[in-house]
Amino acid sequence: DPKIIQKPKYLVAVTGSEKILICEQYLGHNAMYWYRQSAKKPLEFMFSYSYQKLMDNQTASSRFQPQSSKKNHLDLQITALKPDDSATYFCASSQDWNSDYTFGSGTRLLVI
Amino acid sequence: AQKVTQTQTSISVMEKTTVTMDCVYETQDSSYFLFWYKQTASGEIVFLIRQDSYKKENATVGHYSLNFQKPKSSIGLIITATQIEDSAVYFCAMREGSSNTDKVVFGTGTRLQVSP
C-alpha cells in the first residue's frame, strides 16, 4: 500500500488555469514537503510544513500556495499556470526535521 | 549557501562489481546531515543511506556504504556486488543542522547502468 498518496498521477492543464495537486501521507510523520523536478533543474525544494505550520518557502512566485487542512495532508495550489511550470511535483514527508524523506510517486504536470 | 555537487553524469558497470559515486558539498554549518537517494526508471525516489556530520564511522546499509571525508567535504556512495536492479539515478543530498532554512538540497544525480 502506498504510504504517500499523490493525486493525480498525470495532469494536463491549459496556460492560465489553476490546478491543485493532492498529497496525503499515512506514515504518522510530522513534516511534509513539496519538491519539483524538471529536465532543466534537479530536485528543487519548494515548501516545508511541520505540524501544519509553514516552515520554509523557497518558491519565488506567489502562484504556488501550499494548503494543509490536516496534519497528514499537504496540497499544492498553482494558479495562472505557465508552460514553464511543466514538471513532476513530488510530495515527501519525514518524521522530524532531520530525518530522511519518504517520497510520493509524483504528479507529472504538463502545461500547454 | 548550501550546495551539493555530483560531477559524474553517468556510470556504466558490469554486474557484481563495485561502483563508487562521488559527491561534494558546501556548507558553513558545523552540523549537517548527508543523504543518498535512488530514483528508479519508474520515477520512484527511495532513501538509501545517511551520514550525520558528527559521526566519524562511515555508514553502511546492506550493500551500500559511504566514504565520508569531512576535510574534503566529500560523501561518496559505494555499492558493492552491483545488481541489474541497481540501475537508477542516484542523488546526494544535504540538510544543514543549524540553518534557518528547512530545505534539503539535492545534487543533479548520477545515472548508474549495470549490465549483465
Side-chain angles (χ1 to χ4, degrees):
Chain A
D1 289 338
K3 298 185 171 76
I4 299 184
I5 296 174
Q6 286 192 246
K7 293 184 286 190
K9 196 169 180 64
Y10 302 99
L11 188 55
V12 179
V14 176
T15 297
S17 66
E18 171 184 315
K19 292 294 179 186
I20 296 179
L21 281 54
I22 305 293
C23 178
E24 296 175 283
Q25 56 96 358
Y26 296 94
L27 294 160
H29 286 170
N30 299 314
M32 295 185 71
Y33 314 86
W34 277 101
Y35 277 78
R36 174 169 52 193
Q37 185 178 42
S38 65
K40 301 171 189 175
K41 294 182 179 180
L43 278 161
E44 182 185 13
F45 175 89
M46 299 179 72
F47 300 98
S48 66
Y49 263 69
S50 180
Y51 294 94
Q52 284 189 272
K53 181 181 172 184
L54 178 65
M55 302 303 291
D56 200 354
N57 175 359
Q58 297 279 324
T59 60
S61 172
S62 60
R63 296 187 299 107
F64 296 87
Q65 290 292 329
Q67 299 172 343
S68 180
S69 58
K70 291 184 286 189
K71 180 185 167 186
N72 70 327
H73 206 113
L74 184 65
D75 298 339
L76 179 63
Q77 179 186 41
I78 313 175
T79 58
L81 279 160
K82 303 176 180 181
D84 263 357
D85 297 331
S86 298
T88 300
Y89 291 82
F90 285 97
C91 175
S93 70
S94 65
Q95 182 59 46
D96 50 49
W97 64 277
N98 67 346
S99 301
D100 53 273
Y101 287 176
T102 299
F103 280 87
S105 56
T107 292
R108 185 173 291 184
L109 173 65
L110 175 64
V111 183
I112 57 175
Chain B
Q2 53 183 328
K3 186 178 178 183
V4 175
T5 302
Q6 295 178 255
T7 55
Q8 299 159 304
T9 306
S10 66
I11 301 174
S12 293
V13 301
M14 301 299 291
E15 194 178 13
K16 299 178 186 175
T17 60
T18 294
V19 64
T20 298
M21 282 176 261
D22 301 329
C23 175
V24 293
Y25 55 89
E26 294 176 28
T27 179
Q28 302 298 320
D29 274 17
S30 57
S31 171
Y32 47 89
F33 307 91
L34 301 162
F35 307 88
W36 279 90
Y37 289 83
K38 166 185 175 180
Q39 185 170 31
T40 63
S42 66
E44 182 187 17
I45 302 173
V46 178
F47 164 73
L48 297 177
I49 191 169
R50 67 180 281 169
Q51 180 81 38
D52 298 346
S53 63
Y54 60 87
K55 292 185 178 178
K56 293 185 178 180
E57 190 171 320
N58 289 323
T60 298
V61 175
H63 74 145
Y64 302 108
S65 61
L66 297 177
N67 180 17
F68 181 39
Q69 299 184 59
K70 198 169 182 178
K72 296 183 179 180
S73 296
S74 171
I75 184 72
L77 173 69
I78 303 166
I79 307 176
T80 56
T82 51
Q83 303 161 13
I84 303 295
E85 50 267 34
D86 291 325
S87 297
V89 178
Y90 290 79
F91 292 98
C92 178
M94 175 178 70
R95 195 211 184 281
E96 292 177 329
S98 55
S99 166
N100 60 4
T101 177
D102 207 31
K103 69 179 181 181
V104 169
V105 173
F106 285 77
T108 52
T110 296
R111 183 176 298 277
L112 175 66
Q113 180 67 48
V114 181
S115 302

